[in-house]
Amino acid sequence: MARELSGSSGYLRRGGAMSSSPKNSEGSSSRPIAPILAPLYPAQFQDLVRATLLEDLGRGGDLTSDAVIPDSTPGRALVVARQQGCIAGLEVARCAFQMLDGSLRWHAKASDGDVPLPGTTLAVVEGSARGLLAAERTALNFLGHLSGVATVTRTIAEAIAHTPARVACTRKTTPLLRTLEKYAVRAGGGANHRFGLDDAVMIKDNHRSVAGSLTLAVERVRAAVGHMVKIEVEVDTLEQLLEALPLHVDALLLDNMSLEELREAVELARGANSRAVLEASGGITPQTAPAIAETGVDVLSIGWITHSAPRLDVALDIDLS
């Protein structure tokens, strides 16, 4: 539901759509995109924010602000969304400001997962003018990038909202930003694939080749990992799918298949009474996502929503009023 924000030029829609909601065949609205978003723990990003600030401040600090602005000068600024998109990373931005000014006051006007109109104030920040300006670029870099990830995720999630399928990210993330980028995907209404090599098994072509056969690879995995670890197998062809189905793995990645192949793969899996999650991957865009989701797959996994998401335009405006 839209809510008015004092001091802003727009409104926010918590978990709302960025465009008109798609309709199903009966004409009613499709399922809403309203993620239940668990917040990040500060310990998950504080060291990263500190390292980024140190990269910017170097050995000499903020030469410009330190010279231009007297030490005791107070400042008040607005964190503003310059364009419409899904917000993620507000607490990370707040952390950047507070690391340079422990007395800083942050007045939130939005939450991660909100979709603001252009010109909307996301937060009001009050504290040392020097601290505000020294932390500005680090805070906005995180906020703009993570909001960009959330925005493209929301675009895909809306495009397939008339189906049961979900959009998921992959391990194709920016080095050291995986935790934050995967959080941004959740803020945009998406789901996370495995976080790393250590929390799930994915048997790919190279594993199968080295092992000698898919069956042997799966047998070795089951002998090595615990009962809580899920196993996914990547298949590129319907022939490989038929080989994988009798192995009763937890998930099947249908890689770079055509729409016709995806439909047939879904039929084969359902006909075999397979309980495996069916995941489509490869070349998925906002334009192609609906047709892919309509084949009956459960998940659309997309690497570019993390590694190539355009940055959302956010800014810090000094408030002199």
Side-chain angles (χ1 to χ4, degrees), residues 14 34-39 87-88 111-113 183-188:
R14 177 62 177 160
I36 300 173
L37 186 63
I87 300 302
S111 300
D112 287 350
Y183 167 80
V185 167
R186 299 196 300 275

Side-chain angles (χ1 to χ4, degrees), residues 94-125:
R94 174 179 180 171
C95 177
F97 288 116
Q98 290 185 327
M99 276 192 177
L100 296 190
D101 180 4
S103 63
L104 177 134
R105 296 176 299 282
W106 172 278
H107 307 284
K109 301 295 184 180
S111 300
D112 287 350
D114 286 342
V115 182
L117 296 176
T120 299
T121 296
L122 306 177
V124 178
V125 194

Side-chain angles (χ1 to χ4, degrees), residues 135-205:
E136 174 184 0
R137 180 43 47 204
T138 293
L140 296 183
N141 280 349
F142 279 115
L143 183 58
H145 173 59
L146 297 178
S147 296
V149 171
T151 296
V152 295
T153 302
R154 179 64 61 88
T155 299
I156 301 288
E158 287 183 350
I160 64 174
H162 61 294
T163 76
R166 299 191 68 186
V167 55
C169 55
T170 71
R171 286 171 48 243
K172 296 178 181 177
T173 53
T174 307
L176 302 181
L177 292 185
R178 182 171 297 170
T179 295
L180 296 182
E181 289 176 344
K182 283 183 173 285
Y183 167 80
V185 167
R186 299 196 300 275
N192 292 154
H193 208 280
R194 59 176 177 165
F195 270 73
L197 297 173
D198 61 340
D199 62 341
V201 170
M202 179 183 285
I203 299 174
K204 307 183 80 171
D205 287 346

Side-chain angles (χ1 to χ4, degrees), residues 107-291:
H107 307 284
K109 301 295 184 180
S111 300
D112 287 350
D114 286 342
V115 182
L117 296 176
T120 299
T121 296
L122 306 177
V124 178
V125 194
E126 296 176 311
S128 160
R130 281 186 180 180
L132 290 177
L133 294 179
E136 174 184 0
R137 180 43 47 204
T138 293
L140 296 183
N141 280 349
F142 279 115
L143 183 58
H145 173 59
L146 297 178
S147 296
V149 171
T151 296
V152 295
T153 302
R154 179 64 61 88
T155 299
I156 301 288
E158 287 183 350
I160 64 174
H162 61 294
T163 76
R166 299 191 68 186
V167 55
C169 55
T170 71
R171 286 171 48 243
K172 296 178 181 177
T173 53
T174 307
L176 302 181
L177 292 185
R178 182 171 297 170
T179 295
L180 296 182
E181 289 176 344
K182 283 183 173 285
Y183 167 80
V185 167
R186 299 196 300 275
N192 292 154
H193 208 280
R194 59 176 177 165
F195 270 73
L197 297 173
D198 61 340
D199 62 341
V201 170
M202 179 183 285
I203 299 174
K204 307 183 80 171
D205 287 346
N206 288 336
H207 299 105
R208 181 167 50 237
S209 297
V210 174
S213 74
L214 177 59
T215 299
L216 186 55
V218 172
E219 288 175 351
R220 287 176 177 174
V221 163
R222 285 186 168 139
V225 302
H227 69 286
M228 297 296 288
V229 178
K230 290 192 173 183
I231 302 172
E232 181 169 38
V233 168
E234 178 186 80
V235 297
D236 302 324
T237 65
L238 296 176
E239 290 73 23
Q240 290 179 355
L241 174 65
L242 290 172
E243 180 186 4
L245 284 173
L247 300 176
H248 303 293
V249 295
D250 301 290
L252 292 163
L253 174 59
L254 311 174
D255 191 40
N256 283 301
M257 289 189 177
S258 67
L259 289 176
E260 182 179 350
E261 288 173 323
L262 286 173
R263 282 189 287 267
E264 188 170 351
V266 171
E267 290 181 8
L268 288 170
R270 303 305 180 229
N273 293 319
S274 172
R275 305 176 86 175
V277 173
L278 300 179
E279 176 184 347
S281 181
I284 301 173
T285 68
Q287 293 72 37
T288 63

